[in-house]
Amino acid sequence: VTRVLLRCTTATFCLMTAGYALLCASPFTFHNFVRADLFGASTFALWHARLYWLWLAIAIVDIRSSVPEPVRYWRIFAAVWALPGAYLAIRPILPVLADDRRSIVVGIVSFVPLIWIAVVEYWTRRRWLADQRPIASGDVDRAEGRLLFAAAATALFVAIGSALLVPILMRGQFEPDLLTAGLALGLTWTLSDAAVIFFGAFLTVATTARLVRRASLTSQYLALLLVAGVGAAVCFDRAVAQTLGFAGSSRVAIDVAAAAAIAATWGAQQVRKLADSGVAVSSPIDLLLGAAPQPRPVRVLLLPLGVVLAATWAASTATRNVDWDFVMVNAATASLWAAAFVHLYRGAPARAIRSATLAAICLAPLTVWLGATSAEHARPSIRRTLNRYLVYNASLRVGDSVLQRATATATPLQRFLREHTSVAGPDLRPIDLDFVAPLPRLVRPPHVFLFVIDSLRPDYLSPYNRSVTFTPRIAQFASESVVFSNAMTRYGATGLSLPAIWSGAVGLHYQYLKPFAPMNTLEKFLTVNGYRRVLNTDVLMARLIEPSAGTIELGPGRGLGDHDLCATLQELESRFPATGDGDPPVFAYSNPQNLHLADLVTASVPEGERYDGFHAPYASRVRAVDACFGTFVDFLKRRGLYDRSVIVLTSDHGELLGEEGRWGHAYYLFPQVLQVPLIVHLPASAPVDDALDRGALSWSIDIVPTIYAAAGYSARPANALMGAPLIGPTRIDTAARRRGDYVVEASYSAVYGVVRKNGRRVYIIDAVSGSEYGYTRRTDGGWDAVPVVDAIRAPAQRILREHVDEARRVYRLPALK
Amino acid sequence: VKRTLLLVALLLVYAAFAFRGAVRGILQRGAFDPLLPFGRTVELSIGDKRFGEALPAALELQQAYPTEPLVAYWLARIHHGLEHPAAEAEAWERYMALSPAPAEACPSLPLAYTRLRRIDLALATYERCARLASDDADLLRDLGTAYADAGKASEAKAAFDRAAQLDPDWPPAREGMR
């Protein structure tokens, strides 16, 4: 037990360091997990250099207990790994990691100690391994029998476990598709998927063992370990590396390092355990998975399975709010499957199975699966029910993704979109974007207040949803403003959405073009008209705007995740610049994070507040935002500035609050992420007429040209990627706006969408996993998932290609061939 | 040996299943793909508005893939850019016949007929379009306008009425009703 604990501690530190570094290396997780300080990430980074020495001490004890002699093994290890410790003591690395190549290197290096220890353990027991009697042919048959039994039992266990867990996880949910027939359907598919996967694993291991059975046991074992390593690499790649957006040689290196660490650690542990216990081993499969069966009471066999079930439930519950694309829960489920498989193998009876029976058993699940897939194609209602079911069943989700997606080859369009995502290269140059060129100075520009409340959903505001009763101040503000009832963002997260708002244009999928100033149309407007800037500055804003003399920084030193609307507005009121006749106009900006999911995980609802039909912690925060915003509007009115100001209340993206089991916004691109509120209070002088089409699709890239128009400019987009004013004489023809086809993008991954028919139809393609989604908006504003048929797919994919071509044309990049 | 061969055979069956995407790709080699170099040349030329350059390549593609709707779409765009309304209308008609999403030809096809001064065909096509996408307020508005232009006030009213039902806040529909 002590040895296991020591190894677990050693491995945990290495894996946490690697995990932290890899989360930093991906722009998506760096912004949404690390900078948002989820799971105490910053605390770990701050303490890492000191914890390193503790880890080194434990690792040395671990090696010494495992390999007492000769002492040079632990001494060399200690000497080599003390060097990084000394470096870290002077310059701690983790706190300064960012989304760049250095994080990838740190991540890969963090796996090395585990591989090192495993190699030492294996090396020192090589003689024991060489002394073992090679497997006899009768033993091979029996070992295969055990393996097949374990595969079948695990598939059955996964199905039974799902039957028990799904009703618990969907308790209290209204799921008309998941009555008795729906649950039975989901269960059948779970069993069929699991059986195909486990019998596939059985055939891989059994065939490898057969092919190498004439070699020495050491070689047989290494061959199986290699197979396990390849399997681990594929799983890690599909579950983690691909989802985090790694590509090319970095992705391969990460996969290989992670898989080598996992397989080597497991393999060495097994060899050590068997060698130290003195058990004679003849099968390489036993070496990999466990010793020959011992008679055990049923409860001893069942208890660990109960623990696996409980762990699956815990993983599903604990990660649901912070997971992205179900990565964590899928990885946990796959690991628990593996644990169940190993446990069941160890308890499996050693009986030979006849070849005909073996063939029938292996082909049966494949036949069932192919039949089930055909039924799915013939009846779309089956897939709809399964899509509802897999929200609650991680096992089916894993099985489905393995069988439907992971084995599929990326289509040319997927590769095309991936290539356009996070574009890089020497050709990247900023371009000039202008709504008015040259831009003259206005005589009396209005004050401008731009509040981009991160993750604010329109359906939690009363101007957009009559059921909302907790935003009276915003309702009042809306009654004095223009409410664009059909607003969306072009980007599914802050990373690219904020630059698009400031430039008033769709940009390249790149964070960030430098210098940003030639493209920053809002900054040009502010500079020409001598605005006094009062704003939150953070890492992101520092990349977007140039330093300006006289800027009043709100909440100086705060990170992006620390901006709170109430504190910001209080500070803004207290430090508000003079606004006399001779004073420059004021521009205030904030991107508060009150509603960001990272901040919402720990949120609670104050006593006495009720939000039936809404996500209560989120709604409670919206109520607080409403009150603070209303107080600030009162302040502007008291100062006599309200009617001389453009005040924009919007968001950079929406949020998923459990729809279809999904939470957050960063990785996804679903309708709830795309829809944003857009309420614009205009000065009395602004050009607004009765024909203004508030229901036409409007985009967050239209905000800046609308500010231009409100100030009196005749703003016009200079290319197809730029927004257009929503008001004034140069506003885009409303019919064209309603008829337009628009491409939307996730900020941190190769997920793209096409919005059509005035925002009523949305097609989404995840170019990482190959999934497609179709949605139609109902007249009540809700969304229905629809099957993606050729009539939806073909035009949408053409629009995507044309958009990518246009983006590369405008930004002067070579076309993708 | 027999057992090993059996296991290898079963594994190959599973492998063929696991890599069915790649297998399908090999089997479908030679099928139309817009991202193949020839198709990309046409698509990029259209994007660059180099319609004259795109036309010969698109015609060649049409010869090679006569049932491919995207090629018909490209030809319609090219002929539109070259101001050949008759050829454009013909290409759109072919697109309508071939495409899984025939309503995508609307309103370009009736507009091409309008440019050819075939108001009767334009009106008939608007009616086809409205039938193809009966929940599309834009197309119903187009149909209403076409009826109004043809002096069919009651039909125009019915079309605008339906458009307004689908999208009550829509100023153009209200405008049409007026």
Side-chain angles (χ1 to χ4, degrees):
Chain A
V1 174
T2 311
R3 279 187 185 178
V4 171
L5 282 176
L6 281 171
R7 181 57 49 87
C8 284
T9 312
T10 311
T12 302
F13 183 80
C14 292
L15 294 177
M16 281 176 74
T17 307
Y20 182 90
L22 294 179
L23 288 177
C24 286
S26 159
F28 152 58
T29 42
F30 178 61
H31 289 280
N32 286 277
F33 286 70
V34 179
R35 286 173 59 184
D37 195 18
L38 270 186
F39 307 122
S42 67
T43 312
F44 175 69
L46 283 174
W47 280 86
H48 180 263
R50 273 164 274 189
L51 288 172
Y52 184 91
W53 288 103
L54 183 62
W55 164 79
L56 187 58
I58 293 170
I60 290 166
V61 175
D62 184 11
I63 297 180
R64 285 190 67 179
S65 68
S66 171
V67 187
E69 294 295 336
V71 293
R72 67 170 181 274
Y73 287 122
W74 70 264
R75 283 185 179 166
I76 294 171
F77 183 89
V80 170
W81 291 101
L83 294 176
Y87 181 83
L88 289 174
I90 302 163
R91 286 190 182 170
I93 287 182
L94 259 56
V96 295
L97 288 182
D99 48 341
D100 53 28
R101 193 163 278 272
R102 187 167 56 160
S103 297
I104 294 175
V105 174
V106 173
I108 291 170
V109 170
S110 304
F111 289 117
V112 174
L114 290 177
I115 300 169
W116 182 316
I117 295 171
V119 169
V120 169
E121 278 190 324
Y122 177 78
W123 185 251
T124 52
R125 286 164 178 84
R126 65 189 185 286
R127 293 198 189 287
W128 171 83
L129 203 51
D131 291 342
Q132 299 304 304
R133 180 177 59 89
I135 193 162
S137 63
D139 289 346
V140 175
D141 289 349
R142 278 192 287 278
E144 265 168 19
R146 285 181 69 198
L147 200 59
L148 188 63
F149 178 88
T154 313
L156 206 60
F157 165 71
V158 167
I160 293 169
S162 301
L164 295 172
L165 286 181
V166 169
I168 297 171
L169 290 168
M170 64 180 281
R171 192 182 46 194
Q173 303 292 326
F174 175 65
E175 289 288 1
D177 283 330
L178 298 183
L179 302 176
T180 310
L183 291 175
L185 190 75
L187 207 56
T188 310
W189 255 251
T190 308
L191 179 61
S192 147
D193 281 9
V196 170
I197 291 167
F198 283 106
F199 286 129
F202 157 75
L203 284 171
T204 309
V205 175
T207 309
T208 310
R210 283 265 172 190
L211 291 173
V212 297
R213 72 178 191 282
R214 296 194 193 286
S216 67
L217 189 62
T218 308
S219 304
Q220 291 185 39
Y221 179 59
L222 289 178
L224 283 192
L225 207 54
L226 186 65
V227 168
V230 171
V234 171
C235 290
F236 189 85
D237 181 70
R238 300 296 160 111
V240 181
Q242 201 177 62
T243 311
L244 291 183
F246 295 120
S249 55
S250 313
R251 180 165 147 192
V252 175
I254 291 166
D255 289 342
V256 169
I262 293 166
T265 303
W266 172 265
Q269 280 284 94
Q270 286 298 109
V271 169
R272 182 181 82 176
K273 207 163 75 179
L274 291 169
D276 293 359
S277 64
V279 175
V281 179
S282 59
S283 159
I285 304 173
D286 280 2
L287 262 176
L288 189 69
L289 299 178
Q294 301 290 332
R296 298 186 198 181
V298 174
R299 70 172 186 282
V300 175
L301 195 67
L302 291 182
L303 189 64
L305 295 178
V307 173
V308 167
L309 269 189
T312 308
W313 171 81
S316 299
T317 309
T319 58
R320 67 186 197 122
N321 283 19
V322 291
D323 209 348
W324 72 100
D325 205 27
F326 305 108
V327 166
M328 286 191 262
V329 73
N330 286 356
T333 304
S335 307
L336 292 165
W337 276 12
F341 181 74
V342 170
H343 175 69
L344 286 165
Y345 176 81
R346 289 176 184 174
R351 279 191 206 134
I353 292 177
R354 289 190 320 153
S355 294
T357 314
L358 187 143
I361 289 174
C362 289
L363 289 175
L366 202 55
T367 314
V368 171
W369 192 90
L370 290 171
T373 310
S374 305
E376 240 181 271
H377 287 305
R379 293 179 61 188
S381 62
I382 292 180
R383 184 29 68 180
R384 193 188 63 213
T385 301
L386 290 173
N387 283 342
R388 295 307 314 156
Y389 184 82
L390 56 77
V391 166
Y392 305 100
N393 186 349
S395 290
L396 180 60
R397 202 161 46 235
V398 172
D400 215 40
S401 64
V402 168
L403 297 176
Q404 301 276 6
R405 292 194 244 147
T407 56
T409 308
T411 63
L413 182 74
Q414 280 172 252
R415 291 197 292 271
F416 178 83
L417 292 175
R418 283 189 211 165
E419 205 175 330
H420 182 66
T421 304
S422 300
V423 288
D427 302 323
L428 283 178
R429 299 263 190 287
I431 60 166
D432 271 311
L433 295 175
D434 293 289
F435 287 106
V436 180
L439 187 64
R441 189 183 177 110
L442 294 167
V443 177
R444 198 164 185 239
H447 304 294
V448 176
F449 300 91
L450 175 55
F451 299 112
V452 183
I453 299 175
D454 204 288
S455 308
L456 178 60
R457 278 173 60 144
D459 56 338
Y460 276 69
L461 300 176
S462 43
Y464 291 88
N465 182 355
R466 287 180 188 168
S467 309
V468 173
T469 56
F470 44 84
T471 59
R473 302 308 310 273
I474 290 175
Q476 186 189 341
F477 171 71
S479 69
E480 300 155 358
S481 310
V482 180
V483 178
F484 293 96
S485 60
N486 192 12
M488 286 188 173
T489 175
R490 293 294 280 260
Y491 291 100
T494 307
L496 290 176
S497 184
L498 279 188
I501 290 175
W502 277 77
S503 62
V506 170
L508 280 177
H509 202 287
Y510 179 71
Q511 297 177 30
Y512 298 93
L513 280 176
K514 292 174 193 166
F516 193 73
M519 300 185 296
N520 197 333
T521 54
L522 179 54
E523 189 174 34
K524 288 177 185 179
F525 167 85
L526 302 176
T527 306
V528 163
N529 291 295
Y531 273 85
R532 187 81 190 272
R533 303 171 195 190
V534 191
L535 39 81
N536 289 135
T537 52
D538 48 54
V539 184
L540 179 52
M541 288 308 295
R543 295 182 183 190
L544 300 186
I545 56 170
E546 299 291 310
S548 166
T551 295
I552 299 174
E553 196 179 334
L554 298 173
R558 283 191 202 140
L560 178 64
D562 301 330
H563 299 318
D564 167 74
L565 182 71
C566 297
T568 299
L569 292 180
Q570 279 172 9
E571 193 181 349
L572 174 59
E573 283 184 30
S574 66
R575 301 174 69 189
F576 205 86
T579 50
D581 280 344
D583 292 315
V586 174
F587 168 77
Y589 165 82
S590 181
N591 175 218
Q593 304 290 307
N594 302 54
L595 303 172
H596 197 281
L597 191 68
D599 206 29
L600 206 65
V601 174
T602 55
S604 58
V605 180
E607 211 169 298
E609 290 185 16
R610 277 176 62 101
Y611 301 95
D612 295 338
F614 296 92
H615 183 265
Y618 182 91
S620 175
R621 294 217 166 182
V622 173
R623 179 196 285 273
V625 163
D626 175 78
C628 297
F629 183 76
T631 306
F632 181 69
V633 169
D634 291 342
F635 165 80
L636 290 179
K637 285 179 176 172
R638 281 199 308 277
R639 290 280 296 255
L641 302 174
Y642 190 60
D643 292 331
R644 292 163 48 200
S645 302
V646 179
I647 307 167
V648 180
L649 179 67
T650 187
S651 176
D652 46 355
H653 51 77
E655 190 80 341
L656 281 158
L657 294 169
E659 284 84 3
E660 299 187 24
R662 296 185 174 92
W663 297 81
H665 56 268
Y667 186 80
Y668 299 120
L669 206 59
F670 288 102
Q672 294 82 1
V673 174
L674 293 172
Q675 288 185 293
V676 293
L678 180 56
I679 306 174
V680 183
H681 175 79
L682 295 162
S685 57
V688 181
D689 56 64
D690 289 343
L692 184 65
D693 186 0
R694 292 165 170 82
L697 196 52
S698 49
W699 296 94
S700 43
I701 57 170
D702 300 329
I703 292 170
V704 167
T706 302
I707 292 172
Y708 271 69
Y713 287 115
S714 293
R716 287 187 177 84
N719 60 57
L721 301 183
M722 294 177 74
L726 298 168
I727 58 166
T730 56
R731 71 170 191 261
I732 195 166
D733 172 50
T734 193
R737 192 180 277 281
R738 284 173 174 264
R739 274 213 152 112
D741 299 321
Y742 304 90
V743 168
V744 289
E745 306 171 29
S747 286
Y748 307 116
S749 57
V751 183
Y752 289 77
V754 176
V755 177
R756 311 191 72 194
K757 307 289 177 192
N758 200 32
R760 290 195 302 272
R761 305 269 167 80
V762 177
Y763 163 82
I764 297 154
I765 178 165
D766 183 333
V768 179
S769 67
S771 318
E772 292 177 300
Y773 307 89
Y775 289 92
T776 302
R777 191 166 62 193
R778 299 190 301 265
T779 48
D780 68 359
W783 293 89
D784 289 324
V786 292
V788 179
V789 292
D790 278 346
I792 295 173
R793 181 185 297 115
Q797 295 196 346
R798 170 182 54 75
I799 292 161
L800 280 170
R801 290 195 308 273
E802 289 172 352
H803 171 81
V804 169
D805 290 342
E806 184 64 18
R808 300 183 79 89
R809 203 173 284 126
V810 168
Y811 286 93
R812 297 177 197 139
L813 283 181
L816 291 177
K817 298 291 184 186
Chain B
V1 173
K2 275 185 191 168
R3 180 74 164 223
T4 307
L5 286 175
L6 173 71
L7 284 170
V8 170
L10 287 170
L11 188 63
L12 286 175
V13 171
Y14 268 72
F17 160 76
F19 299 106
R20 64 194 181 284
V23 172
R24 199 178 298 135
I26 292 165
L27 295 176
Q28 288 177 349
R29 195 164 288 166
F32 178 78
D33 181 347
L35 286 163
L36 287 174
F38 213 50
R40 287 297 289 153
T41 306
V42 174
E43 200 162 53
L44 289 168
S45 300
I46 293 171
D48 291 338
K49 300 191 173 21
R50 289 183 281 117
F51 300 111
E53 280 177 42
L55 185 58
L59 288 171
E60 214 169 307
L61 273 176
Q62 195 190 15
Q63 292 277 324
Y65 303 100
T67 58
E68 176 51 48
L70 189 59
V71 178
Y73 171 86
W74 283 337
L75 274 168
R77 291 274 312 270
I78 292 166
H79 287 304
H80 180 81
L82 294 170
E83 298 182 11
H84 298 157
E88 182 193 350
E90 191 189 325
W92 280 126
E93 286 287 7
R94 200 165 50 254
Y95 177 85
M96 263 191 148
L98 297 172
S99 173
E104 294 290 314
C106 311
S108 301
L109 176 56
L111 286 174
Y113 282 131
T114 306
R115 281 195 293 280
L116 287 168
R117 301 183 192 288
R118 294 298 308 271
I119 304 303
D120 55 333
L121 281 178
L123 185 56
T125 313
Y126 277 124
E127 287 172 339
R128 272 161 69 194
C129 290
R131 277 196 300 275
L132 285 169
S134 56
D135 61 343
D136 190 323
D138 297 317
L139 290 178
L140 286 162
R141 177 216 173 205
D142 292 339
L143 178 64
T145 308
Y147 277 135
D149 290 346
K152 298 183 174 182
S154 60
E155 287 92 338
K157 183 180 178 307
F160 283 126
D161 212 7
R162 175 83 182 121
Q165 274 174 10
L166 287 169
D167 211 345
D169 299 329
W170 194 33
R174 292 202 305 268
E175 187 66 25
M177 287 295 281
R178 268 203 293 276

